Amino acid sequence: MALLFGEEINPETLERWDKEYFWHPFTQMKVYREEDNLIFERGEGVYLYDIKGNKYIDAISSLWCNVHGHNHPRLNNALLKQVCKVAHTTTLGSSNVPAIVLAKRLVDITPPCLTKVFYSEDGAEANEIALKMAYHYFYNRGEKDRKYFITLSNAYHGDTIGAVSVGGIEIFHEAYKPLLFKTFKLPSPYLFCKEKYGEPNEECKQELLRMLKDILEKYHKEVIGITLESGIQAAAGMLPYPKGFMKGVESLAKEYGVLLIVDEVATGFGRTGTMFYIEQEKVCPDFMTLGKGITGGYLPLAATLTTEEIFEAFLGEFGEAKHFYHGHTYTGNNLACAVAIENLNIFRDENTLTHLRPKIKHLSKRLEEFWNLPWVYDIRQLGFMVGIELRKPNGEPFPYGDRIGFKVAYKARERGVFLRPLGDVMVLMMPLVIKIEEIDYVLDTLKWAIEETLKGSS
Ligand SMILES: Cc1ncc(COP(=O)(O)O)c(C=O)c1O
């Protein structure tokens, strides 16, 4: 029995109501309604428990946002302490204590060029804000002809219309094409390099940068900026860039006077082994967007960080109307910001990133074993982010409708591992606190699930 506000609801009723009333995101509801689905009721560390009492390792960090584990006493406490003061006060023209402190803390831990923090609730909004601010920055400077962004094929920045416009995953974005603004697109670095050079190497990086330079050479006066995910195209199936690609993009952006928008929504808060991936390439963008792990996976909060120069272009007398006309009801929410501060405190007090290093190494080593499986076409890893791409042994993709990735994930549930694939790419994005023996259990289970699902297939 699930207990909700003192009322007991049995699992069958919940399953029925779930299918009758709840439209799930990124979910084919016809299929969902025909299947048995997980309904989670509670969590403890890296484990989730469903309404039937089954226990699962959360190997995808609740869609890539959980950091220190579920039901964390310190995060719970931070939330409780704040809720006993006040849950929400508007930040439109007034302020609140946790939002101020968090802004300072974020500026302290990000590269020195980023000095201002604009809050929102989800990664897509953080990107939407960066796009609008970038456009508006030039507008306020009188450069009103700039209307294009340069983006990457297979990019994913969220599901609002601006974020979709700079995105490039056909299957998600195809239907909305008539509503989107026009962009210049470079190929997906990983896919391009793999096809042409066999791997994302230096030569390929140089070729991609030449393509970018060609676009900038012709159109830089109309270009607002370049948008890209940091280090890896995550939602496209964990596709890492060639090393140094982002640094090269940064130099070209500077050379041609266009803005660089780096999306750290998936990679931020330790996922790649450093707090932010840009630290590894010593990149300092004009905008950096954050979400997901910012509250340790507790509450919806996102942030767009930017520079003094961008901020100053919005300053003026009230009557000049140069300010950024954008905001949400819950912008800078007190509860979310209080939990986000404690999330950073835990990183500091528990040396989360130091403890992560041997886990990343262990993961790399163990992933080698997966090459022995005939259905493993590619294995990609950036820090603690992993994608294992499954195909037929002859290298052909499985038909989309066969849902092989989902079938493998459902099989893994039988042994208590919760996964959500990206197509036929099995994603591992475990909470940073997971222990080595739990990583081993996830990997053993995944290997077993792939074999069980695909043995006998051709
Ligand atoms: C790189 C990146 N940006 C933005 C988003 C969108 O974030 P949200 O789902 O919080 O809107 C995601 C989500 O997966 C992402 O991976």
Side-chain angles (χ1 to χ4, degrees):
M1 281 292 176
L3 195 65
L4 202 66
F5 307 124
E7 189 187 347
E8 281 191 349
I9 307 170
N10 66 42
E12 294 72 33
T13 306
L14 282 168
E15 280 167 346
R16 190 162 43 79
W17 286 356
D18 182 39
K19 290 178 178 176
E20 204 164 326
Y21 302 116
F22 187 177
W23 187 346
H24 290 256
F26 273 103
T27 301
Q28 175 44 259
M29 292 306 292
K30 178 176 182 301
V31 176
Y32 184 88
R33 297 199 316 185
E34 289 161 4
E35 291 180 338
D36 282 335
N37 303 295
L38 288 180
I39 303 177
F40 293 118
E41 193 183 12
R42 65 190 179 87
E44 191 79 54
V46 298
Y47 294 96
L48 290 170
Y49 296 82
D50 70 11
I51 50 171
K52 293 173 181 162
N54 299 311
K55 177 179 170 182
Y56 305 88
I57 293 189
D58 182 1
I60 51 154
S61 298
S62 290
L63 215 63
W64 314 354
C65 62
N66 192 280
V67 177
H68 306 295
H70 295 279
N71 204 355
H72 194 289
R74 286 185 61 177
L75 296 174
N76 291 357
N77 220 8
L79 179 58
L80 286 172
K81 263 169 83 180
Q82 182 57 43
V83 83
C84 291
K85 290 181 183 160
V86 63
H88 180 66
T89 57
T90 182
T91 53
L92 274 65
S94 56
S95 204
N96 75 61
V97 178
I100 298 170
V101 174
L102 179 62
K104 159 89 172 92
R105 293 286 298 275
L106 290 174
V107 168
D108 285 349
I109 60 166
T110 50
C113 65
L114 299 167
T115 57
K116 296 287 183 276
V117 179
F118 194 100
Y119 292 114
S120 55
E121 288 77 53
D122 288 289
E125 285 175 291
N127 287 317
E128 202 76 29
I129 286 162
L131 299 175
K132 283 181 74 180
M133 264 185 191
Y135 166 79
H136 203 154
Y137 160 79
F138 283 118
Y139 181 94
N140 279 355
R141 286 166 39 127
E143 293 188 51
K144 297 183 184 173
D145 288 338
R146 294 191 188 250
K147 48 186 175 296
Y148 299 120
F149 288 94
I150 303 175
T151 66
L152 300 181
S153 299
N154 292 76
Y156 181 75
H157 298 288
D159 300 324
T160 53
I161 288 295
V164 170
S165 294
V166 294
I169 298 188
E170 283 293 314
I171 193 107
F172 300 167
H173 300 157
E174 173 69 23
Y176 303 103
K177 272 192 178 150
L179 304 183
L180 308 180
F181 53 75
K182 191 179 158 228
T183 60
F184 294 108
K185 277 203 171 18
L186 284 177
S188 161
Y190 186 86
L191 297 178
F192 175 79
C193 294
K194 183 102 180 144
E195 196 181 318
K196 190 157 176 193
Y197 295 90
E199 55 171 352
N201 58 20
E202 178 64 23
E203 219 182 334
C204 181
K205 179 188 88 180
Q206 294 301 344
E207 183 170 349
L208 286 162
L209 292 174
R210 274 196 303 279
M211 288 183 203
L212 176 58
K213 193 173 169 69
D214 287 347
I215 300 173
L216 286 167
E217 191 61 41
K218 260 196 181 151
Y219 300 106
H220 67 275
K221 289 208 174 97
E222 295 165 74
V223 169
I224 300 164
I226 305 165
T227 58
L228 77 172
E229 285 156 89
S230 198
I232 186 167
Q233 294 193 301
M238 300 294 166
L239 309 173
Y241 304 144
K243 281 267 167 293
F245 173 69
M246 287 183 60
K247 193 72 194 162
V249 173
E250 181 194 41
S251 308
L252 287 171
K254 283 209 167 77
E255 186 183 335
Y256 286 92
V258 304
L259 301 173
L260 179 61
I261 299 173
V262 171
D263 178 345
E264 285 260 3
V265 170
T267 46
F269 302 96
R271 298 283 167 198
T272 69
T274 45
M275 197 58 140
F276 306 106
Y277 177 76
I278 52 171
E279 294 166 32
Q280 295 180 35
E281 296 218 11
K282 299 194 172 37
V283 164
C284 205
D286 298 285
F287 296 93
M288 174 164 90
T289 58
L290 301 174
K292 291 194 184 277
I294 191 170
T295 59
Y298 260 55
L299 287 163
L301 181 73
T304 307
L305 274 74
T306 191
T307 63
E308 214 52 33
E309 185 185 337
I310 300 286
F311 178 76
E312 278 173 13
F314 290 80
L315 300 180
E317 296 308 321
F318 196 88
E320 289 180 82
K322 282 167 103 177
H323 35 300
F324 188 49
Y325 290 99
H326 185 111
H328 302 277
T329 307
Y330 288 98
T331 295
N333 171 254
N334 316 47
L335 298 177
C337 291
V339 174
I341 295 166
E342 193 63 353
N343 177 40
L344 294 180
N345 292 340
I346 298 171
F347 265 104
R348 183 194 59 205
D349 300 343
E350 296 187 356
N351 288 319
T352 308
L353 295 175
T354 310
H355 294 306
L356 185 61
R357 264 176 239 140
K359 297 180 202 175
I360 292 174
K361 267 205 184 132
H362 183 75
L363 184 57
S364 305
K365 207 161 136 245
R366 289 258 5 231
L367 283 170
E368 289 293 320
E369 296 164 26
F370 280 74
W371 287 113
N372 297 332
L373 299 175
W375 310 279
V376 169
Y377 173 76
D378 200 5
I379 301 173
R380 303 178 285 262
Q381 182 186 9
L382 183 67
F384 220 37
M385 300 168 76
V386 172
I388 301 173
E389 183 170 349
L390 304 177
R391 290 201 185 180
K392 293 179 184 176
N394 67 5
E396 271 176 35
F398 292 106
Y400 181 68
D402 285 4
R403 300 176 76 226
I404 295 300
F406 275 102
K407 285 180 184 155
V408 172
Y410 292 165
K411 197 77 202 164
R413 287 182 192 175
E414 291 176 19
R415 292 200 173 171
V417 173
F418 177 50
L419 296 166
R420 182 174 167 88
L422 290 160
D424 292 338
V425 177
M426 305 312 300
V427 171
L428 294 175
M429 190 86 143
M430 297 170 276
L432 305 191
V433 284
I434 195 165
K435 298 191 184 88
I436 295 271
E437 56 272 26
E438 291 162 338
I439 297 175
D440 282 338
Y441 186 78
V442 168
L443 292 170
D444 292 341
T445 303
L446 177 56
K447 211 150 98 200
W448 168 81
I450 294 171
E451 280 171 329
E452 283 297 301
T453 309
L454 292 169
K455 69 182 173 199
S457 75
S458 51

